[in-house]
Amino acid sequence: MRIATYNVNSITARLPRLLAWLESSGTDVLCVQETKCSAEQFPTEQLRELGYESAVHATGRWNGVALLSRVGLEDVGLGLPGGPDYEGVQEPRAISATCGGVRVWSVYVPNGREVAHDHYGYKLQWFRALTTAIAEDAAGPRPFAVLGDFNVAPTDEDVYDPAVFAGLTHVTPDERAALEALREAGLSDVVPRALKYDRPYTFWDYRMLAFPKNRGMRIDLVYGNAPFAKAVKDAYVDREERKGKGASDHAPVVVDLDLDL
């Protein structure tokens, strides 16, 4: 099974590229973040024509997550159980389903904005709710993984220059502690290989020539339980998909599994 995660930064803007990538990559299950569309606007029919079922949790604006699968899509869960509200609303940032015997979550963790901003506190609350919500599956015998845009670089090695990020979100001790708590629930970081350069960054800002200069961050993560991690045969960042006109500012992270279900 080939499973991937991809922050598309607007599925409607990226649809032709996404469809072409799905065809060329041979992906069986795709976790999508930042759809930036409502569920009604989601391109379900175009994806069905390629053989993918879709599960969507989206209301428009800046969030939205989805799961695409051509190996089955069962027991879909919308939202984060026990998750916090932001400005009176629980944002559509999590979706889960069972695909070909593997339980997966697609998550779009809040950005946090600035350390002094209330969105930062919301981000830490969101992580705590996620850790509680996935604990049973993480400890279970079935292959299980949480994939998505976590908006945290796990270590200083996961940013191009730690000094640039000093005092900013995505690298603070509290955010990294939240990731550590998630791992302690029974998950491990499936670190992909880079197709170019020595570090597997997954995000490059659109500004200041960040991509050609490889000024990136690894914030799109795959956290799997022991049965999932044992089945991993390869993992890589598809940096090529970040190139060219109309690309997202994120690249897909692809994981190949050898499963005996």
Side-chain angles (χ1 to χ4, degrees):
M1 181 186 294
R2 175 163 284 182
I3 185 169
T5 182
Y6 189 13
N7 180 324
V8 295
N9 189 8
S10 175
I11 197 166
T12 52
R14 236 61 69 186
L15 185 58
R17 288 188 62 128
L18 176 62
L19 295 175
W21 183 81
L22 285 169
E23 283 198 286
S24 65
S25 68
T27 298
D28 296 305
V29 179
L30 179 63
C31 300
V32 180
Q33 301 87 42
E34 207 171 351
T35 62
K36 290 185 176 178
C37 70
S38 67
E40 293 74 21
Q41 295 167 323
F42 195 83
T44 302
E45 291 305 317
Q46 294 96 319
L47 291 161
R48 183 177 289 121
E49 290 174 4
L50 285 184
Y52 290 91
E53 296 178 78
S54 302
V56 186
H57 186 36
T59 56
R61 301 183 70 184
W62 307 111
N63 304 311
V65 287
L67 285 165
L68 315 179
S69 175
R70 61 181 188 180
V71 292
L73 193 63
E74 302 174 342
D75 301 325
V76 174
L78 303 182
L80 176 60
D85 291 352
Y86 188 70
E87 295 182 342
V89 176
Q90 187 176 123
E91 298 175 315
R93 293 183 174 273
I95 188 169
S96 57
T98 302
C99 305
V102 179
R103 187 70 182 170
V104 296
W105 282 60
S106 175
V107 300
Y108 180 36
V109 176
N111 178 281
R113 300 181 187 172
E114 298 175 355
V115 174
H117 199 285
D118 59 0
H119 207 262
Y120 181 79
Y122 165 57
K123 180 179 191 174
L124 298 179
Q125 288 180 315
W126 204 93
F127 263 121
R128 288 193 289 270
L130 177 63
T131 301
T132 299
I134 59 87
E136 183 175 352
D137 279 326
R142 175 175 57 176
F144 169 75
V146 184
L147 306 92
D149 179 356
F150 284 68
N151 272 314
V152 182
T155 72
D156 282 352
E157 291 295 310
D158 296 307
V159 296
Y160 74 91
D161 183 354
V164 171
F165 296 91
L168 303 179
T169 59
H170 292 57
V171 300
T172 66
D174 284 345
E175 290 167 294
R176 287 177 172 172
L179 278 184
E180 177 63 24
L182 192 65
R183 291 192 294 269
E184 288 177 352
L187 304 177
S188 59
D189 186 356
V190 178
V191 180
R193 58 187 174 89
L195 294 186
K196 186 178 181 180
Y197 302 112
D198 60 342
R199 295 181 183 177
Y201 299 141
T202 66
F203 167 83
W204 301 260
D205 200 292
Y206 285 130
R207 300 168 295 178
M208 305 295 290
L209 299 175
F211 182 65
K213 293 180 179 180
N214 200 37
R215 294 176 176 172
M217 308 174 69
R218 185 172 77 93
I219 58 175
D220 302 87
L221 309 175
V222 177
Y223 274 18
N225 70 353
F228 184 96
K230 183 179 179 180
V232 172
K233 298 305 175 186
D234 192 16
Y236 63 92
V237 179
D238 190 350
R239 191 179 186 277
E240 294 297 306
E241 188 57 25
R242 176 61 176 79
K243 293 180 177 179
K245 184 178 180 179
S248 172
D249 45 3
H250 296 251
V253 180
V254 181
V255 179
D256 287 331
L257 303 174
D258 185 2
L259 296 165
D260 183 18
L261 299 173

